[in-house]
Amino acid sequence: MWPRAVRRLLLLNHRGGHCGVLAAGANFKATYRSISEFTKTYHEGLYPGHIPTTVLQKGLLAIGSGVAALQDPYRHDMVAVLGETTGHLALVKLRDGMRNDPEGYAILTERPRIRLSTLDLNRMSSMPDGSFGREYLRFLDDNHVTPDSRADVKFVDDEELAYVMQRYREVHDFLHTLLGMPTNMLGEVAVKWFEAANTGLPMCALGAVLGPLRLKPSHLQTLFKSLGPWALQNGRKARCILDVFYERRWEQSVEDLREELDIEPPPVIVVTSQKSTTH
């Protein structure tokens, strides 16, 4: 007999083809609660907050969250679920790369988390302009974002891979800082192009493909003529973004860190002029 969560998802997906998929996105919270209830009843999680799911459940969750994220790219909760339910193979490759890199291995061993409670904000604010710590803090202030907005991973069925996904999620703003990109739509799309080339995560590739649909013509021209090629080229050649212990680089200059990671400065300056997102 199908679990109640799966029956709900199948029913939503069955209602009239595309309309059924839209219903899955619109009713995602109800479906999510059903899966959570099923998990509490029948399973023990692999880590705090873990929600075990079958392949079918993951597929249907991916459809529902993908549709919801496409309708509203600022639904970072839907983007998070999409990443967790589609990224297994990429996460395995990223984890193996971290294991074979001294700095990446240290991250896997120590499991640092990026939260306001783990940051020395007073120390970072006193660092010189141009230092990674000071510029990261400036990025948070200028774009009105906080590392505490990052949702915890729930649907990855491996404890170590779940941490890899969490780490990717939490270093995203570090990448914004290194690339010099704000959190408006153009900046987010440019970062997604870089991340897609660097990490291979399907969620990033989907965002790179669909994100331009939300851009106005002038920003599309900037993306395709300069920012896009720059992001793809640098994403491919740069060191893996998960192999860097950023918390030990606060005093290093952004310029030096870019050079170490083989990331070139952006070809154009993107200003924060559009709606910001907690992405």
Side-chain angles (χ1 to χ4, degrees), residues 40-92:
K40 292 176 182 177
T41 304
Y42 297 101
H43 294 281
E44 287 189 14
L46 299 174
Y47 49 86
H50 175 227
I51 300 176
T53 47
T54 65
V55 173
L56 177 60
Q57 287 173 320
K58 279 185 171 62
L60 294 173
L61 284 169
I63 293 172
S65 59
V67 170
L70 178 60
Q71 291 178 318
D72 183 0
Y74 298 102
R75 288 292 304 275
H76 57 278
D77 54 339
M78 298 295 97
V79 175
V81 173
L82 180 64
E84 294 174 30
T85 54
T86 61
H88 178 76
L89 294 178
L91 288 174
V92 170

Side-chain angles (χ1 to χ4, degrees), residues 127 130-134 244 248-261:
M127 291 179 179
S131 64
F132 179 59
R134 183 68 189 89
V244 183
R248 298 177 179 175
R249 309 298 191 93
W250 296 134
E251 296 181 353
Q252 188 173 355
S253 72
V254 170
E255 183 179 356
D256 287 347
L257 188 52
R258 281 176 178 166
E259 184 175 351
E260 178 184 337
L261 302 183

Side-chain angles (χ1 to χ4, degrees), residues 6 18 83 86:
V6 176
H18 181 62
T86 61

Side-chain angles (χ1 to χ4, degrees), residues 2-15 20-21 23-25 27-32 34-35 53-65 81 85 155:
W2 292 103
R4 179 158 58 113
V6 176
R7 293 203 308 272
R8 182 191 293 271
L9 282 164
L10 288 173
L11 178 62
L12 290 170
N13 193 47
H14 180 68
R15 291 174 181 167
V21 175
N27 290 277
F28 183 85
K29 288 187 177 180
T31 300
Y32 177 91
S34 294
I35 292 179
T53 47
T54 65
V55 173
L56 177 60
Q57 287 173 320
K58 279 185 171 62
L60 294 173
L61 284 169
I63 293 172
S65 59
V81 173
T85 54
F155 294 109

Side-chain angles (χ1 to χ4, degrees), residues 124 127-139 173-181 230 234 244 246 248-266 269:
M124 294 167 69
M127 291 179 179
D129 291 342
S131 64
F132 179 59
R134 183 68 189 89
E135 295 309 315
Y136 170 64
L137 194 59
R138 195 190 313 278
F139 164 82
D173 287 340
F174 293 159
L175 194 55
H176 270 276
T177 304
L178 285 173
L179 298 179
M181 292 294 113
W230 162 79
N234 281 270
V244 183
Y246 298 95
R248 298 177 179 175
R249 309 298 191 93
W250 296 134
E251 296 181 353
Q252 188 173 355
S253 72
V254 170
E255 183 179 356
D256 287 347
L257 188 52
R258 281 176 178 166
E259 184 175 351
E260 178 184 337
L261 302 183
D262 202 9
I263 297 175
E264 300 169 5
I269 302 298

Side-chain angles (χ1 to χ4, degrees), residues 182-220:
T183 60
N184 60 28
M185 186 57 69
L186 178 58
E188 287 292 350
V189 172
V191 171
K192 279 291 177 281
W193 282 37
F194 181 100
E195 289 178 335
N198 189 264
T199 69
L201 285 166
M203 171 196 66
C204 299
L206 185 64
V209 171
L210 298 180
L213 299 177
R214 295 275 179 164
L215 294 176
K216 58 186 181 181
S218 62
H219 287 155
L220 265 179

